[in-house]
Amino acid sequence: MTMFEGRTVLLTGATGGFGRAAAHRFYDSGANLVLSDLHDDALTAFASAFDSARVVTLAGSVAQETLASELVALAFDSFGSLDVAVNNAGIGHDMKRLPQIETEEAWKVIEIDLMSVFYALKYQLPALERQFRETGRVASIVNVASVAGVAAAPMVSVYAAAKHGVVGLTKSAALEYVRRGVRVNALCPAFARTPLVMNVLEREVEEKGITLAEAEAHLTRGIPAKRLAEVPEIIEALIFAASPSNSFFTGQTLQVDGGMTAT
């Protein structure tokens, strides 16, 4: 039996860099998948790579509270359980000093990166507690935050504020539910080689007339490892946090950051 055989995994941001890799990893480990992302066409195309008997999808914006409720209901209606929830969807903003960030842009980041996690936890936690009371089955929630959620992040201040908020929600929820059958942890990666990060680097190349290698070196200058993380490295940490055998691990920020927060 594989690690997640017969278990149900809910994953937002399913068509992004981390989302795609996580979905494949959970699926290959035996899980049923409840996948969500903003655009229905992209989500449906991605889901077609899996056995339709083990995957359901629901497109929508995580900034809308109703989506969080509907995803939990979809998991139980489709597969009879919810064992892992990975609240992964998020956005960033252009690198600029705090006063240069438009208020509208700041609210958008807060709504998608922070409020979406609040909505998710609001509906996931009671359902998972109820499942634990009825079946004794312990569930795991992993909120994808960022190293910017545990340290200062100049030039991306609103993003950092939102991710700090995700860490706060994670720790608080973990203590509220540690004896109610739910583990809650935050995954805090540094810059990884995702499409989102590569788009940022390509804009730097275009705007500053530098090479991609120079842009990457500049972006990773604060990382002792002096490189981007590779997506599979981040997914290894995600699987560790979500694993049902990791039953004493809760309320933690799992920093996968090339040594950034070591000092």
Side-chain angles (χ1 to χ4, degrees), residues 3-4 22 25-26 29 234-244 246:
M3 187 183 303
F4 295 97
R25 185 66 181 277
F26 281 117
S29 296
I234 306 303
I235 301 307
E236 285 297 326
L238 171 60
I239 295 298
F240 170 81
S243 170
N246 199 4

Side-chain angles (χ1 to χ4, degrees), residues 179-226:
R179 296 178 65 185
R180 301 183 180 205
V182 190
R183 298 188 301 108
V184 191
N185 293 287
L187 181 66
C188 298
F191 294 114
R193 200 175 299 279
T194 63
L196 178 65
V197 169
M198 296 312 296
N199 287 340
V200 170
L201 291 175
E202 288 166 6
R203 285 201 302 272
E204 290 285 294
V205 168
E206 183 177 343
E207 293 172 5
K208 297 181 179 179
I210 58 178
T211 67
L212 184 61
E214 289 171 331
E216 185 171 328
H218 181 73
L219 187 67
T220 59
R221 66 193 183 281
I223 301 176
K226 298 302 179 188

Side-chain angles (χ1 to χ4, degrees), residues 78-153:
S78 301
F79 302 115
S81 70
L82 177 56
D83 301 282
V84 177
V86 182
N87 300 314
N88 168 63
I91 61 170
H93 61 78
D94 289 339
M95 300 181 72
K96 58 184 75 172
R97 293 189 180 92
L98 191 152
Q100 299 170 333
I101 301 171
E102 297 293 337
T103 300
E104 182 179 356
E105 183 178 23
W107 274 118
K108 183 177 180 181
V109 171
I110 294 296
E111 287 172 352
I112 294 175
D113 288 2
L114 176 57
M115 290 305 296
S116 70
V117 177
F118 167 72
Y119 297 145
L121 293 173
K122 181 177 179 179
Y123 292 99
Q124 291 165 5
L125 289 166
L128 296 176
E129 180 185 11
R130 184 167 56 252
Q131 177 178 253
F132 175 68
R133 288 199 310 264
E134 294 172 354
T135 69
R137 199 160 176 161
V138 175
S140 173
I141 297 173
V142 183
N143 298 320
V144 179
S146 167
V147 70
V150 295

